[in-house]
């Protein structure tokens, strides 16, 4: 469908530039404090794939955190209920080893009252097999890994993100595994069998894979009919959207009249304007297609580029010892030194002032093949680095020194028009598209009521190709979002490459906290990106949090909850908390502003039965079992 609305937006986005940060955005109801080290001691640094999965596996009321750490060893961080976490992976998940870990999700799939974890696993460098892992809870005993026994290993799947839901309403949770499409791999819906175990659902059921690199799946009542629909999300939005029920799946438009948006990385679903239509925030930062050469916050020269049949040439000054770090897995001889083109014998490579191998700057050319050339003239602090490619070469490189590095010039960078994030306001008649900033491309995002004023705010992770960018916080002021300077203290690290974000009230004080990961992209650029936990310092606003226990599936995935105060009615859907490769805590959170009670709390359970409660006091975490 051709749309004048989206086309007009992208053609004239500069019109929004003057309205990004209104004067009243200088104040926000809360501040965030970086408590990464005080809460976690030694938080992970390095590669990541999403921002973990939050779930209270030990049933003490405090959310615990699983972090996949991509190809490093995953970790289970147990909440100590005193504002911190303890790494207890070996205790609770014996036999944990390093795999190509991707997204994960907690759920009580066997309805025994405690949370289990499914972990999606890819195949390193796109080769080999990567069986998924299903960690079966036997609390208070350690978890048992049972993916193979349960039928969920899917070793050729190159799996990305799971989504638990009961598609056929039989009281047993099923799971969608999104995957990188190939001859052996596609999205698969695994249906839980009454006698135990899972079987892949045939396409004759109507389930429609995207047949692309599907990043994640989400639930939402996209057509406001009171029932959940399923969205599989790859690079274009909307992608494969389906209604479902015991009879199978049926494709739907999401919603009617919505235009396709290309190059989408993450999708945040929420009722932003209080009209009960689900709105969308779409992040669109394609860090793998960007070129960048820059000095990072640590003083190192960082390079990320795809050189296509040409050269990328950099001149910089440095009087000290130079350490060259290149993309993981590459042969050291890819780096050629000086006019003699001496191949490096190891990586990382340390080049001292008297090293004659680097003398001379007769770099190669694209016609001579793919290589990185590095050299300088004798008795000079001017260096030249050339990346040459006959076809296409993907380069990630860090040059470090004990002396200052000053970038002099760069030639050959590809230019790319920005594809700004899109805020899509849904409507029964015609959706409206908006760019909050015409130059801003986010990587991952969440919607949450961080200031407990009764509406959903937006937190967006930004990355960058070689040097990380500050993250952004947007305050919802009713009919628009305004940017908060320095993200109210949660702008994040400039080291690494921004990856994912999740939210949980980890200290159970009624205010949602933020966890971000900065280990996306190619190594070595992702190796120094830290995991960061930002504690919400709160304010005087009231709140209510709800854990649901269903009569059919214990997780009550698919339930719809509404709370009413004099300010109006808010809605939250129990969808499991999934975004790209990430699971935020599934506990439902409502900010209540100045109101000390909820006049009506209405729950529509997955089996369509309704429970209503009146005059519910604020400032508590409720566990509600279906009547």
């Amino acid at each position: 469908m051709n749309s004048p609305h989206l086309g007009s937006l992208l053609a004239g986005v500069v019109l929004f530039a003057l309205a990004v940060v209104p004067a009243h955005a200088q104040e926000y109801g809360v501040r965030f404090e970086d408590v990464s080290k005080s809460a976690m001691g030694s938080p992970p640094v390095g590669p990541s794939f999403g921002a973990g999965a939050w779930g209270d596996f030990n049933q003490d009321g405090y959310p615990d955190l699983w972090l996949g750490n991509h190809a490093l060893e995953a970790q289970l961080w147990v909440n100590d209920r005193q504002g911190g976490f303890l790494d207890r992976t070996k205790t609770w998940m014996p036999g944990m080893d390093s795999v190509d870990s991707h997204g994960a999700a907690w759920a009580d799939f066997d309805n025994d009252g405690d949370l289990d974890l499914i972990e999606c696993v890819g195949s390193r460098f796109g080769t080999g097999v990567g069986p998924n892992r299903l960690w079966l809870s036997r609390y208070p005993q350690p978890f048992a890994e049972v993916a193979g026994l349960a039928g969920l290993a899917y070793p050729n799947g190159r799996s990305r993100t799971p989504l638990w839901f009961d598609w056929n309403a039989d009281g047993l949770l099923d799971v969608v595994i999104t995957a990188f499409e190939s001859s052996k791999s596609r999205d698969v819906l695994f249906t839980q069998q009454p006698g135990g175990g899972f079987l892949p659902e045939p396409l004759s059921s109507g389930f429609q894979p995207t047949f692309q690199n599907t990043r994640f799946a989400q639930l939402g009542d996209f057509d406001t009919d009171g029932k959940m629909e399923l969205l599989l999300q790859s690079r274009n939005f909307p992608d494969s959207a389906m209604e479902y029920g015991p009879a199978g799946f049926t494709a739907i438009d999401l919603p009617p009249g919505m235009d396709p948006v290309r190059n989408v990385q993450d999708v945040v679903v929420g009722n932003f304007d209080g009209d009960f239509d689900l709105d969308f925030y779409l992040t669109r930062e394609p860090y793998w297609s960007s070129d960048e050469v820059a000095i990072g916050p640590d003083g190192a020269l960082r390079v990320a580029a795809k050189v296509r049949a040409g050269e990328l040439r950099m001149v910089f000054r440095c009087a000290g010892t130079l350490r060259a770090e290149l993309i993981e897995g590459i042969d050291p001889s890819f780096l050629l030194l000086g006019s003699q083109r001496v191949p490096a014998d190891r990586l990382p490579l340390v080049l001292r002032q008297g090293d004659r191998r680097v003398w001379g700057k007769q770099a190669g050319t694209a016609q001579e093949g793919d290589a990185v050339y590095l050299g300088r003239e004798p008795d000079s602090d001017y260096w030249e680095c050339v990346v040459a490619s006959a076809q296409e070469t993907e380069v990630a490189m860090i040059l470090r020194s004990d002396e200052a590095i000053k970038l002099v010039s760069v030639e050959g960078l590809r230019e790319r028009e920005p594809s700004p994030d899109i805020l899509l306001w849904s409507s029964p008649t015609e959706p409206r598209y908006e760019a909050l900033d015409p130059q801003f491309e986010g990587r991952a995002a969440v919607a949450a009521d961080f200031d407990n004023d009764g509406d959903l705010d937006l937190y967006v992770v930004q990355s960058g190709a070689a040097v990380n960018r500050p993250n952004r916080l947007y305050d919802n002021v009713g009919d628009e979002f305004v940017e908060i300077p320095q993200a109210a203290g949660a702008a994040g690290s400039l080291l690494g490459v921004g990856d994912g974000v999740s939210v949980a009230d980890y200290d159970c004080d009624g205010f949602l906290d933020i966890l971000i990961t900065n280990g996306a992209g190619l190594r070595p650029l992702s190796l120094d990106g830290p995991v960061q936990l930002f504690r919400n310092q709160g304010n005087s606003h009231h709140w209510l949090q709800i854990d649901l226990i269903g009569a059919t599936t214990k997780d009550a995935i698919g339930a719809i909850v509404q709370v009413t105060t004099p300010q109006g009615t808010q809605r939250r859907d129990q969808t499991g908390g999934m975004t790209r490769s990430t699971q935020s805590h599934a506990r439902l959170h409502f900010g209540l502003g100045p109101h000390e009670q909820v006049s009506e709390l209405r729950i529509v359970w997955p089996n369509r039965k309704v429970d209503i409660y009146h005059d519910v006091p604020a400032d508590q975490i409720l566990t509600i079992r279906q009547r």
Side-chain angles (χ1 to χ4, degrees), residues 305-306 440 467 482 533 545 615:
K306 283 185 177 179
F440 181 70
V467 176
V482 293
L533 178 64
Q545 298 191 74
D615 301 328

Side-chain angles (χ1 to χ4, degrees), residues 362-418:
Q362 294 180 11
T365 64
Q367 288 71 32
E368 294 177 299
D370 301 343
V372 173
Y373 300 87
L374 182 63
R376 65 177 179 85
E377 295 299 336
D379 302 321
S380 171
D381 65 351
Y382 277 84
W383 293 75
E384 185 176 68
C385 180
V386 177
V387 181
S389 172
Q391 296 182 350
E392 178 176 308
T393 297
E394 193 170 57
V395 173
M397 179 170 58
I398 299 178
L399 298 175
R400 305 181 189 273
S401 178
D402 52 354
E403 299 288 342
I405 299 177
K406 180 180 179 180
L407 187 60
V408 176
S409 65
V410 181
E411 300 175 6
L413 286 178
R414 290 175 301 137
E415 295 184 1
R416 180 180 61 83
E417 290 294 324

Side-chain angles (χ1 to χ4, degrees), residues 307-596:
V307 181
R308 293 186 174 94
E311 297 179 358
L312 172 63
R313 185 180 301 268
M314 297 154 277
V315 176
F316 62 94
R317 298 184 66 179
C318 181
T321 297
L322 204 65
R323 173 186 167 96
E325 304 169 11
L326 268 68
I327 189 170
E328 182 185 33
I330 202 165
D331 191 285
S333 63
F334 186 76
L335 176 60
L336 301 177
L337 306 174
S339 59
Q340 300 301 311
R341 302 179 188 176
V342 179
D345 56 354
R346 64 176 61 87
L347 287 174
L349 181 66
V350 176
L351 300 170
R352 307 188 186 281
Q353 279 292 302
D355 194 329
R356 294 175 176 267
R357 292 178 298 172
V358 301
W359 286 5
K361 295 188 295 184
Q362 294 180 11
T365 64
Q367 288 71 32
E368 294 177 299
D370 301 343
V372 173
Y373 300 87
L374 182 63
R376 65 177 179 85
E377 295 299 336
D379 302 321
S380 171
D381 65 351
Y382 277 84
W383 293 75
E384 185 176 68
C385 180
V386 177
V387 181
S389 172
Q391 296 182 350
E392 178 176 308
T393 297
E394 193 170 57
V395 173
M397 179 170 58
I398 299 178
L399 298 175
R400 305 181 189 273
S401 178
D402 52 354
E403 299 288 342
I405 299 177
K406 180 180 179 180
L407 187 60
V408 176
S409 65
V410 181
E411 300 175 6
L413 286 178
R414 290 175 301 137
E415 295 184 1
R416 180 180 61 83
E417 290 294 324
S419 53
D421 289 2
I422 298 295
L423 180 59
L424 196 159
W425 302 91
S426 294
S427 167
T429 56
E430 189 173 56
R432 176 169 61 93
Y433 298 82
E434 180 182 355
L436 297 179
D437 182 338
Q439 300 299 317
F440 181 70
E441 300 172 316
R443 175 64 182 158
V446 289
D449 188 359
F450 294 112
D451 56 356
N452 282 359
D453 67 349
D455 52 30
L456 293 174
D457 309 312
L458 287 168
Y459 182 87
V460 188
V461 170
Q462 193 176 191
S463 59
V467 176
N468 216 3
R469 294 337 193 244
N471 303 323
R472 292 193 178 184
L473 175 65
Y474 290 100
D475 182 21
N476 187 338
V477 296
D479 57 354
E480 65 175 327
F481 286 90
V482 293
E483 184 187 347
I484 303 302
Q486 291 79 51
S493 171
L494 297 183
L495 287 174
V497 180
D499 181 17
V501 55
S502 57
V503 296
D505 178 14
Y506 80 89
D507 52 1
C508 295
D509 66 351
F511 290 85
L512 292 174
D513 312 299
I514 298 172
L515 182 118
I516 62 172
T517 53
N518 294 288
L522 300 172
R523 305 184 190 189
L525 299 170
S526 62
L527 291 176
D528 50 12
V531 170
Q532 292 184 288
L533 178 64
F534 290 96
R535 179 181 177 271
N536 190 331
Q537 298 181 10
N539 56 32
S540 62
H541 286 167
H542 299 286
W543 51 274
L544 182 67
Q545 298 191 74
I546 300 173
D547 291 327
L548 298 176
I549 301 178
T552 52
T553 58
K554 297 290 187 181
D555 298 79
I557 292 174
I560 298 170
V561 180
Q562 294 181 358
V563 301
T564 300
T565 68
Q567 187 175 336
T569 299
Q570 301 178 53
R571 170 178 169 168
R572 302 284 187 271
D573 297 347
Q574 180 52 279
T575 60
M578 301 307 297
T579 51
R580 179 182 54 81
S581 307
T582 298
Q583 183 185 37
S584 292
H585 195 204
R587 176 176 287 163
L588 301 180
H589 172 272
F590 296 86
L592 304 179
H595 306 294
E596 297 182 357

Side-chain angles (χ1 to χ4, degrees), residues 6 9-10 235 260-266 281-287 416 418-422 440-444:
L6 182 58
L9 168 70
L10 298 181
R235 295 188 179 184
V261 179
R262 296 183 180 277
N263 194 38
V264 172
Q265 305 304 319
D266 204 358
Y281 185 85
L282 313 176
T283 68
R284 306 177 69 214
E285 181 170 41
Y287 68 82
R416 180 180 61 83
S419 53
D421 289 2
I422 298 295
F440 181 70
E441 300 172 316
R443 175 64 182 158

Side-chain angles (χ1 to χ4, degrees), residues 268-323:
V268 176
V269 183
N271 179 214
F272 299 151
D273 51 7
D275 64 358
F276 293 105
D277 290 322
L278 289 179
D279 309 302
F280 303 88
Y281 185 85
L282 313 176
T283 68
R284 306 177 69 214
E285 181 170 41
Y287 68 82
W288 58 85
S289 66
S290 301
D291 287 354
E292 185 176 24
V293 178
I295 303 296
D298 56 351
L301 178 62
R302 295 170 177 258
V303 180
K306 283 185 177 179
V307 181
R308 293 186 174 94
E311 297 179 358
L312 172 63
R313 185 180 301 268
M314 297 154 277
V315 176
F316 62 94
R317 298 184 66 179
C318 181
T321 297
L322 204 65
R323 173 186 167 96

Side-chain angles (χ1 to χ4, degrees), residues 153-223:
Y154 194 25
N156 293 310
R158 298 186 66 184
S159 304
R160 291 303 188 254
T161 309
L163 174 72
W164 294 103
F165 73 124
D166 179 14
W167 75 268
N168 55 7
D170 65 353
L172 299 173
L173 283 181
D174 313 300
V175 63
V176 169
I177 303 293
T178 64
F180 191 105
E181 196 276 330
S182 69
S183 60
K184 297 182 179 180
S185 173
R186 60 171 174 83
D187 311 323
V188 177
L189 169 62
F190 290 92
T191 300
Q192 188 172 173
Q193 304 302 299
F198 294 79
L199 290 176
E201 194 65 31
L203 295 183
S204 59
S205 68
F207 176 77
Q208 299 181 10
T210 71
F211 295 105
Q212 298 184 54
N213 180 4
T214 310
R215 293 173 170 84
F216 59 98
Q218 289 175 303
L219 297 178
D221 181 12
F222 302 119
D223 56 6

